[in-house]
């Protein structure tokens, strides 16, 4: 499983996702443009030295990302989904795609996804922080695939 961030605009969130990715040995795709200079101090502060351990691929556009990962299943995490992330069967080659903090993803990206999952929330709540959403759903996917238990502690 990989994580892909669609045009993220908060540097600290990206740093947080990259740190988690380093700890769980997950590759990350960043679909540009980002809303901040990529080597931003706030991103480095959140990601710390873990950033050196991440398998990171930056894509200049949505189309470049699609071309790079042709054939892989795209699983969009979105508040607009009907599918509960706990009831989904994850596969090793899945890409978990997260939207921009300010605006999610455009309709064309939403429609292109092969699956759309929500992390359910209490009535009236709008959304979960992007990095938290990534962690919650990634944990379930890795649990199903036996990746976390393989770390052995
Ligand atoms: C802060 S949210 C975006 C909010 C934006 N206003 C919208 O309507 O999409 C940033 C990203 O986190 C993820 N996210 C946040 N809450 C989620 C939830 N409850 N279920 C699934 N994904 C969620 C989605 O990928 C979303 O695009």
């Amino acid at each position: 499983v990989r994580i892909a961030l669609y045009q993220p605009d908060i540097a600290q969130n990206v740093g947080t996702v990259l740190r988690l990715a380093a700890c769980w040995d997950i590759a990350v795709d960043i679909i540009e443009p980002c809303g901040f200079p990529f080597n931003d101090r706030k991103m480095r502060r959140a990601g710390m030295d873990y950033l050196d351990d991440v398998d990171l691929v930056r894509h200049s556009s949505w189309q470049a990302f699609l071309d790079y990962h042709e054939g892989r299943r795209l699983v969009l995490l979105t508040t607009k989904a009907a599918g509960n992330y706990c009831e989904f069967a994850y596969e090793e080659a899945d890409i978990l795609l997260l939207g921009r903090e300010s605006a999610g993803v455009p309709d064309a990206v939403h429609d292109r996804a092969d699956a759309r999952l929500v992390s359910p929330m209490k009535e009236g709540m709008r959304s979960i922080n992007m990095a938290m959403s990534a962690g919650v759903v990634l944990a379930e996917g890795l649990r199903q695939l036996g990746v976390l238990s393989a770390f052995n502690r």
Side-chain angles (χ1 to χ4, degrees):
V1 178
R2 308 171 66 94
I3 289 277
L5 306 180
Y6 182 85
Q7 299 184 358
D9 47 19
I10 300 182
Q12 293 95 326
N13 280 343
V14 175
T16 301
V17 169
L18 293 176
R19 179 175 175 177
L20 182 68
C23 291
W24 285 351
D25 199 19
I26 293 295
V28 177
D29 296 288
I30 300 209
I31 301 157
E32 308 245 17
C34 295
F36 55 89
F38 193 75
N39 212 15
D40 188 282
R41 185 179 57 81
K42 295 185 197 116
M43 184 184 92
R44 283 185 281 110
R45 186 162 182 209
M48 303 196 296
D49 52 324
Y50 295 90
L51 298 181
D52 300 334
D53 271 307
V54 186
D55 175 2
L56 173 67
V57 184
R58 292 167 65 192
H59 306 272
S60 58
S61 67
W62 169 241
Q63 189 56 51
F65 167 76
L66 289 179
D67 293 345
Y68 188 89
H69 286 302
E70 200 182 338
R72 292 182 79 151
R73 190 165 70 161
L74 264 183
V75 180
L76 176 67
L77 310 189
T78 168
T79 54
K80 300 181 180 100
N84 184 320
Y85 82 97
C86 294
E87 292 159 7
F88 187 75
Y90 298 86
E91 295 174 4
E92 274 181 22
D94 282 346
I95 303 177
L96 303 183
L97 174 65
L98 289 111
R100 190 174 190 130
E101 293 89 340
S102 54
V105 295
D107 289 346
V109 172
H110 186 271
D111 295 345
R112 171 62 185 76
D114 300 293
R116 288 167 279 274
L117 303 178
V118 65
S119 180
M121 297 174 283
K122 188 176 84 173
E123 181 85 38
M125 297 296 109
R126 293 187 304 278
S127 66
I128 298 171
N129 167 276
M130 184 274 275
M132 292 290 291
S133 299
V136 163
V137 178
L138 186 59
E140 172 59 13
L142 297 186
R143 185 195 66 77
Q144 285 187 19
L145 294 167
V147 174
L148 294 184
S149 45
F151 290 140
N152 208 21
R153 74 182 170 99

